[in-house]
Amino acid sequence: GAQEFTSISQLENETIGMLTGSMFDSIIPDMLPDAEYLYFQSYGDLVSALRSGKIDAWPSDYLTVLDTANEYDDLGYIDEVIINQECGFIFNRDENGFNLRQQVNEFLKEAEESGLKEDLYNKWVNDLNADMYDYNNLPGPNGTLRVSTSGSTNHISFIRDNKLVGYEVELLALFCEKYGYNFEYNLTDFTGMLSALDIAFASLAYTEERAKNVYYSDVTLYSPGYFVVRKNNSATNTNLINSIVNSFYDTFIVEDRYKLFIDNHIYNDFICYLWYIIRFCYLFKS
């Protein structure tokens, strides 16, 4: 089915879902000041609210939007970029955070120049089952970093087989190997990540408001934002088609009722009934 909304301007008076602590919270209300806003703690809650009609749309990053559209046949997205986000690691705004950011930026620059960053990004974007660098036995002569992340951002920072994996996780692990650190991670929501212990990450987009309270690394990835929306009547249409097809199958195939139609000399009515069934299916599938 077609998208229920095809442009951002159509959302002006609708109900928008927002992930608590998301950077979109500082952008969308200015774009859509007359919309109503409901806040949720997880992507799963947003998906449920959208599919049930509690909200009409919710903004998210490119990879999450694509995963959502691929997983749910009744959901799609408005093909209009909200903003192209620059994401990075964040650090406490103190001396330790400043020094750690300097080291991370050195590493990111080298990873950019060598092609490592691009290779890792492509690996994880294309394959959620990609091999993960084994960070369990890092010697850590320079200490252990306390890390915060969501663990719920596919491709970037997520749990697989009870282990934290993903693009930014592997970047961090390789940084720790090079600079002599180990790390322990704590899973938290976006709000918790902004009070980072040593480092926090999970597609954390740069905003001027956030940058007042934390240090940002150089860019780890660019992530355009889109609105996830419902598709028009896709579930209803599918159910109707299934109902018609099943009714035809039960009536004319399983129960041999076509014989009754023919025996009662209303063959023409039977043909008409069959034609309408085929026509209905064709129209709703178009």
Side-chain angles (χ1 to χ4, degrees), residues 83-227:
I83 187 174
N84 195 20
Q85 307 169 96
E86 295 182 349
C87 302
F89 295 115
I90 63 174
F91 313 84
N92 282 322
R93 203 170 183 83
D94 56 22
E95 184 179 359
N96 181 63
F98 180 85
N99 293 331
L100 196 54
R101 179 182 66 168
Q102 292 295 98
Q103 291 181 328
V104 167
N105 283 346
E106 287 174 5
F107 173 76
L108 290 176
K109 183 179 180 181
E110 293 172 3
E112 180 82 42
E113 292 172 350
S114 69
L116 172 64
K117 198 169 77 164
E118 183 179 4
D119 289 345
L120 287 179
Y121 180 80
N122 290 333
K123 178 177 84 169
W124 285 103
V125 167
N126 293 320
D127 185 7
L128 288 172
N129 295 308
D131 291 336
M132 178 70 200
Y133 172 82
D134 184 8
Y135 55 78
N136 287 330
N137 298 309
L138 291 170
N142 294 325
T144 298
L145 300 177
R146 299 164 300 163
V147 173
S148 295
T149 187
S150 66
S152 60
T153 307
N154 275 352
H155 309 280
I156 306 301
S157 168
F158 64 104
I159 300 296
R160 186 186 70 194
D161 299 329
N162 297 315
K163 183 174 182 178
L164 185 67
V165 300
Y167 165 66
E168 285 188 330
V169 181
E170 190 156 8
L171 264 184
L172 173 70
L174 292 173
F175 161 76
C176 287
E177 178 192 49
K178 183 175 180 63
Y179 284 81
Y181 295 108
N182 204 331
F183 71 92
E184 297 174 352
Y185 64 85
N186 173 55
L187 300 182
T188 184
D189 60 19
F190 278 89
T191 305
M193 278 188 283
L194 296 181
S195 54
L197 299 173
D198 286 312
I199 299 179
F201 62 91
S203 293
L204 295 179
Y206 176 90
T207 67
E208 291 183 3
E209 190 64 29
R210 286 180 179 175
K212 293 176 183 177
N213 302 307
V214 297
Y215 287 126
Y216 264 90
S217 74
D218 291 340
V219 176
T220 56
L221 70 143
Y222 293 93
S223 180
Y226 295 89
F227 276 106

